[in-house]
Every structure is written in C-alpha cells, then in structure tokens.
Amino acid sequence: MKTRRLNTLVIGSGASGLAAALRLKSLGVDDILLLSEGLKRGTSINTGSDKQTYYKLGVYGAEPDSPALLGRTLFDGGSVHGDVALVEAAMSVRCFMNLVNLGVPFPCDEFGQYIGYKTDHDPKRRATSCGPYTSREMCLALIRAVKAAGVEIAGQRNAAELVSVDGRAAGAVVWNRETKEFEAYLAENTVFAVGGPGGLYASSVYPAGHMGGIGLALKIGAAAQNLPESQFGLASTRFRWNVSGTYMQVLPRFVSTAADGVSDEREFLLDHYKDPNTMNSMIFLKGYQWPFDVRKVPDGSSQIDLLVHEETVGRGRRVFLDFRSNTAGLDFAELSGEAREYLEKSGACFGTPIERLEAMNPGAIELYRDHNIDIRSEMLEIAVCAQHNNGGLAGNVWYESVNVPHLFPIGEVNGSHGVTRPGGSALNAGQVGAFRAAEFIAAKYRRPTLDFEKAEAAAALLAEDLLRRLAGTRDWRKDRRELQERMTGYAGHLRRMDKLDDAADAARNLLDAMYQEGYPFEDADHAVTNFHLAFASWVYLEAISFQAATGTGSRGSAAVLRPDGSIVPENPAFRGKVLETAATPQGVRVRWEPCRPFPETDGWFETVWAAYRNGTVYG
C-alpha cells in the first residue's frame, strides 16, 4: 500500500477545506495535502438557492452591530455553545473580507459599504449574496488561490477509513479511483472538511454526487453533538435545488397529479385554505420561511410542507410548481400586507408567476435552463427534502474535536449550529472553522509528535479489513436505497416516537450484514461509501430515538409524532442543552450536556496583547 507522511491532511475540497489549506499555506505550514474526490464535486460548488445567502456581522450604514450582538443571535437559536457562537461572530468580518479580497463579487455601494438584508432568524440586515451561486463563487475564488499558492491536491480519492493511534487522529486510508487501490496518508493533523450527510436521505437536495463522510469520524469514536437537528424544506427533484425566496414570492401554483405526472391534475392547496388569497399569502411566506419549522404549523407557512408531504408520501401522488399561470382567485389587493408591500415595491403586481420571476430574478429561470428544465413551458416537480445538518461533530473554539486530538472537523460536518440558525450562517461557520483550525495548527501542532510507525501498522490493519469486506456478493445499490429510505421515513421532518427504536435496530442490522457479507471488489468505491453511511445512519437514529424518548418534543425542522399522529409539543428546557453522541465498543452513548455559557468579555488592551504575543491565547 502506498503510504505518505504529512504534517496536515485536509480531507475535502469544498469551501471550508479549500480555505483551510490556503490559510495553512499562508501561515508557512507547507507539508500539507488536500485530498479531494474532485474539485468540481461536493455541495459547496454545486448548490445554492434563488439568492444564496452569506451571513456575517452587519457592516452597512448606521445600524449598530457587534460581535456580542451577532453571537447572541447565534446562541439564541438554542442548543448552541456560547463560546463557539462568539467565535463565529467575531471572525465573520475577517473571513468575509478575505473572500472579497480573493474576488468573490459581493455587492457594495459607491462608498464601499457592503449592503445587507434580513434572512430567516435574523433581527438585523446582516445577510449578503452574490446571486444563486454564492458558495460556487467562493469555491472558484478559493481554488484559484489554492492553485496559485502551490497547495498539493490529490484528486479522485475517496476516504475509506480514518486512522487513529492512541486515541488521536493520524490520517486516513483512501481509495484511489484511478489506480483502483488503497493508499495511506498519515498525518500529524487531519482537517476533516467532508460536508454534510448528503448520502443519508432518499429525499435530498444535497447534490447527487455528494455523500458526506461523518461516519468515518464516528467510527473512531469522535464525539458528535445535536445530530437530530437538521433542516428540511421544499426542493426540486429532477435537479436538486431549494425552491426558496423568489420562487415562492412570485406565487406559483401548487399542482398535484397522479403518479404518472400527467393525469388528475389539481391545485390541491385550495382544499385547505379558507380563500385563495390566504393561500397565496402563505405561499409568499414560504419564500423566506423556507425551512420546515414546527412553530409554523398548523396555522403558518410550514403547513404547506405537510400538505406536499401528504400528497407525495401519503397519497403516492406527485407535486409540481407551475409558473405559467396564476393561482385561482389571485387578487394582489387582497394579499397580506407583507406580501402586497413586497410585490408592490418590487414592481411585480402584474402578469403570471413566470413574468414576475423574469422581472424580479431572471437568473432563477436561467438556473433551471442550465439544467435542461424550462420552467417557462413546463412544471417543476418538488418534494420535502433534507437540506442541511445543523448538528455534526463536536469541536472546541479552535474547531479541534473535543475528544480526538489532532482532528479538526470544519464546515457542515462540524455541529456548531443548534436548533435554528440564521440563513447563510453555515457559509460563515465554514470559513471561520477553516481559519481557526489552520491558525491553531500553525501555532501549536507544527512539530511531529505522531508515532508514524504505529500509524502505518494501524493503516495496514484497516486496509486488510477493507479488503476482507470486498470479497462478498451484496448489492450496494439495494443497501444504499434501504438506508436512505429508512432515514427519510424515520429521521426526516416527521418522526414517529413508536418507530424510532425499531429503525435504529434495523440500521444496526444492515451495518452488521454489510460487514459480515461484504461487496464485490469491483464495487469498492461505492462499498467504502456504504460502510460509513451505514455507520452514520445507525448513530443518527440512536441519537434521534434518545432525543424523542427524553421528552424534547418537536422543535426546529422536525416534528415528533405520537402513535396517533399528533405532534408532541417542544419542551423548551432542552434549548439550554446540547445532545452529545459517541460510538463506543459497547454501543452508542447519548447524553444531554449543558450549553457552555456565552462569554462576557470586557478585556484590557495591554493584557489581551500580551496573551496574543506569548501564545497563551491558544490555551
């Protein structure tokens, strides 16, 4: 097995992994390697929305803001550690301006002020955007910078196992898709930037090629937090994309058909609202209340998500957005004040939905045309889909794993968010994590302390075990479909209390069968992905089952249901706690831990400067 020794291995080439590699290089940590499935794969470069948001400290006009105010907004989302919230607030301007300086075209006015707007769960105008492809623009700018800096990139690699020695991270065993063999990259530090659990759900808006990799870290015992806290919402299915923002604000028709997608067409929302303009006002609200939110059920905009789910899952029908004609009975004058004012200010109280979309956001139309879908002439199929995991691996204020030293989870795989979060805060969190991890490594972990001989032996054992599991006959497609359908059915936005234990047991049984029976060697690339997806599925379901059983109730983007189908109300006391999960040899350990408080800082310049000079700022 080809083996390589490094100071730092960066796994993942999305926006956070690229930023970490670039920052490490700028700090003089040259012995690094960026491990990538492909620079054009993954979520960051392949996802967005009608106006993809980047959330940061407000830096426009006279509206006051500060790190403490922004940090409090993040902290108030519930189940968030206060110190991490303050870090993500304090670092936001620095990371945002780094992207600006790299060429990401965020808009500013003639005075150089970076304009902002309010996003969901945001009391101030802190959000910004450079269009539907904000995260793609970030990746393209970072890729240019990484290449210019001479960062070494190993592409077409699929991480198969993380290596750990004496309780610390030590690199990874990976599958080389070109040579069809395993390789070992042994490292003093592992920056883990593998994104969210995109491969876990059947109904998903994650890019089709993005699988995630959190199961790799869970397998070596890395602690996770808030795994049950995810976001779900309406998305197109033929091309995976959130139908948020303007797609809803132009008031499309919601059309249900029979399973053939053609017959028995009807505008089904009309059956559930007292009049057409109450319905239209709720459709409008779905634009910026896009994630399913249990607080907006039954009388709010999230009722639409439940109605779509009932049509698609409950009745086996298909649901489409139709931009070609107005909803029945549309009267702009009779819309809610909020909807009417927005459309009036946008000059959009006219025509059909597609004409309004052309006037307000023509790029939203072209985005689908780029993927061979013309919403001017055809309907757009949608479903309720998994979109983002607010939970993930547990890290400290430097984004090092709380229990596996030298492992740095950054980006979506780091579970720094709680129950709710402002839209776009994930892009900020990924950049902040990249900077913090790189700076800690440069300050504290430059010198080798890893026993590389022991790490080589551990990697060899992992590779041997992988090869043993690649001499079987199982069908990887069937297994993946089973685990994805189980996650969508039991760990999605609707969770049946009486079914969760059985779902977790079934996930564990599938994992055991995979390990014991194995897959053919020719399916190695898909097989190694199945192994870590199945492990993650089991751990997630155990965490979700525990959370429901302890009486947390319905919160965020997940409704917990009693056997009769009624929704269990939230117990708000759990907002002050974080759910910690870890896989152990004895099984999955799940427990509630109190949130670390929000820091009250009133520093003195001379003492802060001294701590910075002598390095005690790093702990």
Side-chain angles (χ1 to χ4, degrees):
M1 183 170 60
K2 175 185 174 184
T3 302
R4 177 85 176 271
R5 296 183 178 186
L6 301 157
N7 175 269
T8 300
L9 174 67
V10 181
I11 304 176
S13 57
S16 60
L18 290 164
L22 182 62
R23 186 63 183 145
L24 283 163
K25 196 76 171 177
S26 71
L27 292 170
V29 183
D30 294 318
D31 187 18
I32 63 175
L33 183 136
L34 182 67
L35 195 75
S36 172
E37 292 187 73
L39 293 178
K40 293 184 179 180
R41 297 181 58 141
T43 296
S44 297
I45 203 166
N46 288 303
T47 194
S49 61
D50 78 308
K51 184 173 67 179
Q52 192 182 14
T53 295
Y54 189 104
Y55 188 70
K56 51 148 185 52
L57 192 76
V59 291
Y60 184 86
E63 184 177 51
D65 205 355
S66 71
L69 289 173
L70 172 55
R72 282 285 181 185
T73 298
L74 300 174
F75 183 65
D76 289 345
S79 296
V80 174
H81 287 307
D83 49 3
V84 174
L86 182 55
V87 167
E88 292 188 355
M91 292 286 292
S92 69
V93 172
R94 183 180 176 193
C95 292
F96 172 72
M97 289 303 177
N98 177 63
L99 293 170
V100 170
N101 293 338
L102 290 175
V104 181
F106 290 110
C108 66
D109 66 10
E110 65 270 32
F111 306 107
Q113 300 180 103
Y114 284 86
I115 187 68
Y117 57 88
K118 286 187 178 181
T119 184
D120 48 308
H121 309 300
D122 174 25
K124 293 179 177 289
R125 297 195 302 165
R126 294 167 172 150
T128 188
S129 173
C130 55
Y133 293 112
T134 298
S135 61
R136 176 179 294 185
E137 292 291 339
M138 290 165 57
C139 282
L140 293 175
L142 287 162
I143 288 169
R144 290 193 298 269
V146 160
K147 289 182 175 179
V151 174
E152 184 181 358
I153 302 170
Q156 295 299 311
R157 265 63 169 198
N158 186 5
E161 297 278 3
L162 288 186
V163 181
S164 63
V165 173
D166 300 326
R168 56 166 291 173
V173 173
V174 310
W175 175 255
N176 186 324
R177 289 174 169 154
E178 294 176 335
T179 64
K180 303 291 191 281
E181 59 189 4
F182 290 108
E183 302 169 339
Y185 294 87
L186 307 176
E188 180 73 15
N189 309 294
T190 302
V191 176
F192 197 59
V194 297
L200 281 184
Y201 290 88
S203 296
S204 172
V205 73
Y206 288 92
H210 175 76
M211 295 291 110
I214 191 172
L216 298 170
L218 296 173
K219 287 178 71 175
I220 65 167
Q225 62 189 29
N226 294 335
L227 291 182
E229 308 300 339
S230 284
Q231 284 189 347
F232 304 88
L234 298 176
S236 55
T237 56
R238 195 167 117 205
F239 165 60
R240 295 181 174 190
W241 201 259
N242 297 340
V243 286
S244 58
T246 328
Y247 290 114
M248 294 289 115
Q249 290 159 342
V250 298
L251 309 178
R253 296 171 66 231
F254 277 69
V255 175
S256 169
T257 74
D260 61 11
V262 178
S263 61
D264 192 24
E265 180 180 309
R266 63 189 183 89
E267 199 172 339
F268 66 100
L269 294 187
L270 288 169
D271 299 337
H272 302 276
Y273 289 96
K274 62 181 179 180
D275 61 75
N277 287 300
T278 299
M279 176 191 73
N280 284 318
S281 297
M282 286 297 170
I283 292 172
F284 173 86
L285 286 177
K286 278 306 301 175
Y288 61 86
Q289 295 178 357
W290 176 83
F292 175 75
D293 186 341
V294 292
R295 295 174 301 183
K296 298 179 177 66
V297 176
D299 299 323
S301 60
S302 288
Q303 180 69 21
I304 293 175
D305 301 84
L306 295 183
L307 295 172
V308 171
H309 179 82
E310 175 59 25
E311 288 292 306
T312 55
V313 177
R315 299 179 180 173
R317 293 171 63 84
R318 295 168 69 180
V319 172
F320 300 83
L321 297 181
D322 183 4
F323 294 91
R324 302 168 299 178
S325 58
N326 285 322
T327 59
L330 172 62
D331 183 346
F332 294 109
E334 295 300 319
L335 294 173
S336 67
E338 188 174 11
R340 186 177 63 254
E341 180 183 12
Y342 183 94
L343 292 170
E344 286 174 348
K345 286 185 174 180
S346 301
C349 290
F350 73 95
T352 61
I354 195 66
E355 290 169 337
R356 294 190 286 274
L357 193 57
E358 184 72 59
M360 293 168 64
N361 189 358
I365 303 171
E366 297 310 311
L367 183 149
Y368 278 105
R369 281 190 63 109
D370 291 343
H371 293 86
N372 301 313
I373 301 172
D374 185 0
I375 60 174
R376 291 185 179 91
S377 61
E378 61 182 302
M379 296 195 297
L380 182 69
E381 188 166 8
I382 63 169
V384 182
C385 296
Q387 187 257 356
H388 188 275
N389 192 192
N390 283 1
L393 299 176
N396 61 19
V397 295
W398 293 102
Y399 292 76
E400 185 175 20
S401 167
V402 296
N403 70 326
V404 180
H406 297 267
L407 176 67
F408 292 84
I410 63 172
E412 190 180 339
V413 78
N414 183 293
S416 65
H417 311 295
V419 182
T420 61
R421 62 177 180 85
S425 60
L427 293 183
N428 170 64
Q431 295 300 291
V432 170
F435 266 59
R436 295 285 283 186
E439 290 176 9
F440 190 86
I441 289 169
K444 303 290 285 186
Y445 286 168
R446 283 180 186 258
R447 295 180 179 177
T449 60
L450 176 65
D451 185 332
F452 277 99
E453 284 72 24
K454 189 179 286 188
E456 281 191 13
L461 288 174
L462 288 171
E464 288 176 13
D465 190 51
L466 283 165
L467 289 170
R468 179 190 59 77
R469 287 185 261 138
L470 291 172
T473 59
R474 292 186 69 86
D475 182 346
W476 70 268
R477 295 175 184 84
K478 179 177 179 294
D479 287 348
R480 188 170 303 176
R481 185 164 56 249
E482 177 185 332
L483 74 88
Q484 290 175 335
E485 289 177 352
R486 182 181 297 112
M487 288 294 291
T488 289
Y490 299 99
H493 67 296
L494 300 178
R495 300 171 178 177
R496 290 280 302 271
M497 285 189 69
D498 58 331
K499 301 294 185 181
L500 291 172
D501 280 346
D502 289 343
D505 289 343
R508 178 67 211 210
N509 291 338
L510 176 62
L511 177 66
D512 290 342
M514 286 182 182
Y515 278 11
Q516 291 167 11
E517 299 172 23
Y519 296 99
F521 182 82
E522 57 266 28
D523 293 334
D525 189 40
H526 300 293
V528 297
T529 299
N530 270 17
F531 292 137
H532 70 70
L533 285 177
F535 196 93
S537 174
W538 169 51
V539 175
Y540 270 73
L541 284 164
E542 292 284 2
I544 291 169
S545 179
F546 178 89
Q547 185 193 58
T550 51
T552 313
S554 304
R555 64 183 199 171
S557 206
V560 177
L561 306 180
R562 300 184 181 96
D564 64 3
S566 60
I567 295 178
V568 181
E570 178 183 1
N571 181 345
F574 286 95
R575 294 261 178 156
K577 301 177 182 180
V578 166
L579 186 67
E580 186 178 283
T581 305
T584 74
Q586 292 74 41
V588 179
R589 186 197 70 224
V590 192
R591 64 190 181 194
W592 288 103
E593 295 289 337
C595 294
R596 297 191 296 270
F598 192 86
E600 300 295 337
T601 56
D602 186 19
W604 183 255
F605 180 84
E606 303 300 338
T607 55
V608 172
W609 189 17
Y612 184 78
R613 290 197 313 268
N614 62 33
T616 56
V617 67
Y618 299 105

